[in-house]
Amino acid sequence: MEATSQQRRLLNVGGHSRSIPLPAAYDQFEHILLDLDPDAGADIVLDAKELTSLEPQQFDAVYCSHNLERVRQHEVPVVLAGFRHVLKPGGLAHIIVPDLQELMLACVQQGIDLDGLLYESPMGPITPLDVLYGHSGMIQQSGQDFYTHRTGFSRSTLANVVEVSGFGPMFCQQGNLELNLITFNGDPDPELAALFDLPMAMPDSPIA
């Protein structure tokens, strides 16, 4: 679809493939895929830690699903600074990562060992080790180390690093062993907030 001057622009950071569905809220966005893998068919082949090398304030939204856990803990603020760099004022960052606190609870409550079956996925059985360190089958099949997980998050630790990185109001949902967080680069763009039915009366606490 050809972009127009009015069309919103989305940067999909580490999206791996255009065949992976995006949330329906982004259906009308121009989709720019950024990935480190040169074989992913990305529009921009770049490490997520180097986003500040791009033109600033050119995207309305940044979508980063199951990619932030692939950088080291001390590099997370670098990636988040890159998100703010490329976002327009009021733009949103949409971050999805494994919820390691919920993973620990599930293992204890259900008596699942680290190599036990956590759930079935289109990629096959998923174990706690896959959630912690990256899907072993994908890493083995691809031969690529960048699928390895190098850090992890709970609801509070993700919120803390996002807040320290200078983002504005944030909203986080938990479920299916995931953290699904939306935050804004300053005061939220009302149209972007409306895409996700987010309240414009912002919460007093960092997370609603």
Side-chain angles (χ1 to χ4, degrees):
M1 182 177 182
E2 185 178 352
T4 67
S5 58
Q6 290 78 32
Q7 189 178 16
R8 299 281 194 176
R9 303 184 77 220
L10 170 72
L11 182 65
N12 182 4
V13 175
H16 181 59
S17 171
R18 291 186 181 276
S19 65
I20 299 175
L22 298 175
Y26 302 121
D27 282 352
Q28 301 305 313
F29 282 57
E30 180 191 3
H31 177 195
I32 307 299
L33 177 63
L34 180 146
D35 204 279
L36 180 60
D37 185 355
D39 297 324
D43 301 292
I44 304 171
V45 178
L46 189 71
D47 192 308
K49 300 187 295 294
E50 300 173 356
L51 291 173
T52 53
S53 67
L54 300 178
E55 178 185 343
Q57 298 185 7
Q58 59 172 308
F59 294 101
D60 300 278
V62 169
Y63 180 70
C64 183
S65 178
H66 289 279
N67 193 64
L68 194 59
E69 66 270 21
R70 294 177 181 171
V71 302
R72 296 174 179 84
Q73 183 179 3
H74 68 276
E75 296 169 331
V76 172
V78 176
V79 176
L80 294 176
F83 290 0
R84 291 195 67 205
H85 174 79
V86 299
L87 279 173
K88 298 176 182 178
L92 70 82
H94 189 171
I95 301 166
I96 303 174
V97 294
D99 185 341
L100 294 193
Q101 191 168 47
E102 286 300 309
L103 172 67
M104 294 174 190
L105 287 173
C107 289
V108 172
Q109 293 172 354
Q110 300 174 36
I112 302 173
D113 208 338
L114 289 177
D115 60 354
L117 177 63
L118 192 60
Y119 62 90
E120 292 284 352
S121 81
M123 295 186 294
I126 300 297
T127 71
L129 285 172
D130 291 321
V131 179
L132 285 169
Y133 299 113
H135 189 265
S136 58
M138 177 181 290
I139 296 170
Q140 182 179 14
Q141 182 178 1
S142 68
Q144 298 293 346
D145 189 52
F146 47 66
Y147 291 120
T148 302
H149 295 182
R150 295 175 174 84
T151 191
F153 304 92
S154 66
R155 180 184 173 104
S156 61
T157 59
L158 179 60
N160 288 341
V161 71
V162 168
E163 183 178 22
V164 168
S165 296
F167 280 94
M170 67 185 80
F171 303 81
C172 187
Q173 293 182 333
Q174 292 176 276
N176 299 319
L177 300 176
E178 288 183 338
L179 297 167
N180 192 324
L181 183 142
I182 293 176
T183 187
F184 290 87
N185 186 25
D187 293 333
D189 180 319
E191 291 183 0
L192 294 175
L195 290 175
F196 294 92
D197 295 321
L198 299 177
M200 290 309 296
M202 294 304 170
D204 294 329
S205 59
I207 287 185

